[in-house]
Amino acid sequence: LLVIFITAILIWYSPVLFKGYPAAHIDAEGNITIARNYSQYKFFGSESNLNVVVAPNLVKSLAQKTLLGNKITILSYSIIFNIFGQLDWNKLVVVAILIHALALVFFNITIFYLFGFKESILFSLIYILMPVIWKTVYSVGTYEFTILFFSIFTVLFFI
């Protein structure tokens, strides 16, 4: 499991390592910005009533409460920001890659329990090399915690 975890991290981090930046747009939905605001000001919002992102010191007075449905990502990242401080974008990509690799480990445990060793290794290789997973890994602030919690659920459900 440790080998699969490290292999996933190395392969998924390779575009950042070689290019210097991830291939996808980070925080397209604004979840990270809202998570930073929530970790500092305990307010779910980042935009004014004119759909303009307000400065962090004006969040409590000018920002509207967000209607985004993905609050578990916002709460999870705000916990990470409270523990580790405000992370820059490069560190957030590493955090997202670690979360996805951990989800892969839990999925691999489930596949190993249900089908066996060969199938779990094959599943891991396919999961690591799938382009849609690479895209999801670099879309920081979207579904990484959802995938992690779903993978934990599959382990607890099938075992």
Side-chain angles (χ1 to χ4, degrees):
L1 291 175
L2 184 62
V3 171
I4 291 170
F5 183 75
I6 292 171
T7 303
I9 291 171
L10 291 176
I11 289 175
W12 288 335
Y13 193 69
S14 63
V16 176
L17 194 62
F18 294 124
K19 290 174 66 176
Y21 58 91
H25 181 69
I26 299 175
D27 196 29
E29 296 178 7
N31 287 332
I32 300 299
T33 305
I34 296 170
R36 285 185 175 154
N37 290 341
Y38 187 74
S39 71
Q40 291 177 344
Y41 305 108
K42 301 297 182 218
F43 186 77
F44 273 110
S46 65
E47 296 178 351
S48 69
N49 58 354
L50 300 173
N51 291 334
V52 176
V53 176
V54 297
N57 57 350
L58 300 174
V59 166
K60 279 198 166 185
S61 61
L62 294 178
Q64 300 281 327
K65 189 171 181 180
T66 185
L67 298 175
L68 289 176
N70 195 1
K71 293 203 179 4
I72 193 163
T73 298
I74 296 169
L75 289 172
S76 301
Y77 269 114
S78 68
I79 291 169
I80 289 173
F81 292 149
N82 286 334
I83 293 171
F84 297 109
Q86 300 299 321
L87 304 174
D88 62 353
W89 292 111
N90 293 329
K91 291 178 184 168
L92 282 174
V93 169
V94 173
V95 168
I97 290 172
L98 289 172
I99 292 168
H100 277 282
L102 189 60
L104 171 62
V105 167
F106 285 119
F107 280 135
N108 197 8
I109 291 170
T110 305
I111 298 297
F112 177 75
Y113 179 75
L114 293 175
F115 301 109
F117 180 73
K118 287 182 188 177
E119 289 79 6
S120 68
I121 296 298
L122 181 64
F123 168 78
S124 298
L125 291 175
I126 291 171
Y127 190 90
I128 289 171
L129 298 175
M130 280 179 62
V132 69
I133 300 298
W134 281 50
K135 171 72 173 145
T136 307
V137 166
Y138 291 119
S139 299
V140 177
T142 53
Y143 295 113
E144 53 264 30
F145 286 102
T146 308
I147 293 171
L148 177 65
F149 294 139
F150 179 68
S151 66
I152 293 170
F153 167 76
T154 60
V155 168
L156 295 175
F157 183 78
F158 288 110
I159 293 182

